Amino acid sequence: MHKASRQNFNAQFSSDTYQQFLASIHHEYPQQLDFRVAETPVFVPKSFKNQLLDACEHIISVLTSTNFKEKTNKAIPDGQNVPRENQNSSFLAIDFAICENEKGEVEPQLIELQGFPSLFAFQYFLSKQFQKKYPIPDNFDFLFNDLTRPKYVEFLRNLIVGEEKPENVILLEIYPETQKTRIDFKVTEELFGVKSICITKIIKKGKLLFYEELGELVPIKRIYNRLIFDDLANYPELQTAFNFTDDVDVEWVGHPNWFFRISKYILPLFKHQYIPESHYLSDFQGNFPKDLENYVLKPLFSFAGSGVKINITETDLQEVENPTEYILQRKVNYLPVIETTDGSKVKAEIRLLYGWEQGAPKPTLLTNLARLSRGEMIGVRFNKDFDWVGGTVCFMEK
């Protein structure tokens, strides 16, 4: 996107350097990288960064409004309300597509957002690998708010570990050793001393939780939560001593309720030039827009793009059994804007990553990630066998 930086990077790029770059990741974390890392970072000019920040400020103004919880109580599905919800979400991830508007101008458009953690540790590691192997301009950074690498780690340590001992804090997942994001769990453990623990390994005694380490029971005081109900639903026969909805004496870092409150459910609440028009499907009462080719159908309670339908008809909408659980969102025009070394261009999404200390008036923008795509949608299954696609990081002009 930043022309000079892109030209300089591509001029110095080689397949050998990229393979060395990947080898350095595999060397530090053997058999942990289970998704494609793209050949390049994204170089974001200051003007586009300011557009992203403008949209995020609007979003945050909605999240911090006095009646936000009241507006989102119905976002939490029946039977999935977890006790001891804290004051605010610990994390915020906001996804934008790089698009072209009707005037032919490049602009961001919101895709979705999550009150849930993302690859905070891996992005810290990945950005360092890019800086080691490639020419990253000095006036570009992957961090925000004048953060340095040590200050970034300190912020996250305070957020995740708090005043507890690291051994009393766990990263909660289901079979973490098999997850595609397991490399992030390993970097998290290296940075903060927080181990990833499977929900099947948790021992419950009354309202207290433990895990076993070297034959000893270790108390769990805080849960850095990386598990969602959708994941649990994939294992209907799973037997656990601890259920998500149990009232237990722990502090959640990323309370499960915020995954629902800050989600596609609130897209219709936003009114901003960089946020596409969205409506609950139930609001139409059968009188759907005539130009359905310009809309995408999204289920409210899904993850990682599952259930999203791009090409929809009125019949499709009429057949939806629970219209209160879907939204219609106006399509955005992804603009292939990241130039590759063969002259072709790929599409990109940018995710801004925030941490939110309990009681703070608003979240703090920390870092970012990006995903490159040649497919119809962003995601692994739409980009098989392509190059210059996958996960990466943005370096943004200061």
Side-chain angles (χ1 to χ4, degrees):
M1 294 179 62
H2 187 273
K3 188 174 182 180
S5 299
R6 171 54 52 209
Q7 290 175 340
N8 185 47
F9 181 93
N10 286 11
Q12 300 185 53
F13 177 84
S14 72
S15 295
D16 287 344
T17 304
Y18 175 59
Q19 292 305 317
Q20 293 169 15
F21 164 76
L22 292 179
S24 68
I25 298 175
H26 290 296
H27 175 74
E28 291 204 37
Y29 296 99
Q31 299 182 330
Q32 298 304 309
L33 183 62
D34 198 17
F35 52 86
R36 194 178 198 281
V37 173
E39 283 80 345
T40 179
V42 178
F43 299 104
V44 177
K46 187 183 297 184
S47 57
F48 194 86
K49 179 179 75 172
N50 289 339
Q51 289 177 317
L52 291 169
L53 298 182
D54 183 51
C56 288
E57 284 303 307
H58 173 73
I59 290 168
I60 290 170
S61 72
V62 173
L63 302 185
T64 55
S65 60
T66 55
N67 60 347
F68 180 74
K69 277 198 173 183
E70 181 183 345
K71 287 182 176 179
T72 57
N73 282 334
K74 292 183 179 179
I76 303 171
D78 291 340
Q80 296 185 13
N81 195 321
V82 175
R84 306 199 184 207
E85 181 179 329
N86 42 22
Q87 185 173 343
N88 52 261
S89 177
S90 300
F91 303 99
L92 176 61
I94 308 179
D95 291 353
F96 293 91
I98 300 177
C99 296
E100 183 179 45
N101 64 22
E102 295 176 353
K103 298 178 182 178
E105 302 165 332
V106 179
E107 66 176 19
Q109 284 291 318
L110 178 71
I111 299 301
E112 59 183 334
L113 71 169
Q114 303 169 15
F116 193 75
S118 192
L119 305 179
F120 283 93
F122 178 68
Q123 292 306 107
Y124 173 88
F125 168 75
L126 181 63
S127 59
K128 186 183 293 185
Q129 303 311 304
F130 273 120
Q131 288 173 323
K132 285 181 180 178
K133 295 291 182 181
Y134 294 106
I136 308 299
D138 292 337
N139 62 325
F140 282 70
D141 202 350
F142 75 104
L143 297 171
F144 298 89
N145 290 306
D146 297 321
L147 287 172
T148 60
R149 284 187 174 274
K151 288 182 178 179
Y152 175 78
V153 173
E154 180 184 9
F155 187 102
L156 283 176
R157 180 180 289 110
N158 290 336
L159 189 64
I160 295 170
V161 181
E163 297 181 359
E164 300 294 343
K165 295 178 180 178
E167 59 264 32
N168 299 128
V169 183
I170 66 163
L171 185 158
L172 181 64
E173 249 291 6
I174 184 166
Y175 306 126
E177 68 280 359
T178 69
Q179 297 298 323
K180 286 191 173 296
T181 54
R182 63 185 179 271
I183 190 169
D184 182 70
F185 308 161
K186 289 297 184 181
V187 185
T188 298
E189 183 175 355
E190 186 173 290
L191 289 175
F192 312 119
V194 173
K195 299 182 188 306
S196 55
I197 302 294
C198 181
I199 192 171
T200 63
K201 302 296 184 182
I202 291 180
I203 299 162
K204 180 171 176 275
K205 294 188 175 185
K207 289 190 174 184
L208 302 179
L209 300 182
F210 304 84
Y211 67 94
E212 188 174 334
E213 180 80 8
L214 300 176
E216 299 289 333
L217 292 184
V218 182
I220 299 170
K221 303 293 181 129
R222 288 165 73 91
I223 294 177
Y224 175 32
N225 184 44
R226 301 294 292 269
L227 182 59
I228 63 173
F229 281 95
D230 269 14
D231 294 333
L232 291 171
N234 292 328
Y235 300 90
E237 306 301 321
L238 196 70
Q239 298 294 317
T240 64
F242 163 59
N243 297 313
F244 245 25
T245 52
D246 290 344
D247 184 6
V248 289
D249 189 14
V250 298
E251 185 174 359
W252 292 90
V253 187
H255 191 284
N257 288 1
W258 288 104
F259 173 78
F260 296 114
R261 291 189 186 277
I262 302 177
S263 65
K264 292 187 287 290
Y265 185 88
I266 61 172
L267 290 178
L269 302 182
F270 304 127
K271 307 298 178 187
H272 192 277
Q273 62 179 331
Y274 303 137
I275 300 178
E277 170 193 350
S278 300
H279 301 276
Y280 301 113
L281 185 59
S282 56
D283 288 348
F284 292 102
Q285 297 182 345
N287 297 315
F288 304 118
K290 299 301 181 185
D291 57 338
L292 287 177
E293 68 276 7
N294 293 320
Y295 287 85
V296 59
L297 180 67
K298 293 184 175 182
L300 293 177
F301 308 116
S302 68
F303 191 59
S306 63
V308 174
K309 193 161 188 176
I310 297 175
N311 300 309
I312 53 178
T313 65
E314 188 166 320
T315 301
D316 294 328
L317 303 183
Q318 290 170 341
E319 292 177 351
V320 172
E321 291 185 5
N322 299 302
T324 58
E325 297 182 2
Y326 285 79
I327 62 167
L328 270 185
Q329 184 180 52
R330 197 158 189 87
K331 284 182 181 178
V332 298
N333 182 25
Y334 280 78
L335 180 67
V337 71
I338 311 299
E339 187 173 354
T340 72
T341 50
D342 67 6
S344 62
K345 294 182 179 181
V346 299
K347 296 177 285 190
E349 284 185 6
I350 297 172
R351 174 177 293 176
L352 296 183
L353 299 175
Y354 290 76
W356 198 344
E357 298 173 304
Q358 286 304 306
K362 59 189 292 189
T364 300
L365 179 56
L366 301 175
T367 188
N368 73 86
L369 64 78
R371 293 178 294 177
L372 306 186
S373 172
R374 295 182 188 266
E376 186 178 27
M377 290 179 63
I378 303 286
V380 174
R381 64 183 179 273
F382 299 99
N383 286 279
K384 290 181 179 179
D385 304 321
F386 291 143
D387 61 1
W388 288 70
V389 300
T392 186
V393 64
C394 295
F395 289 96
M396 300 200 183
E397 188 177 18
K398 297 179 184 177

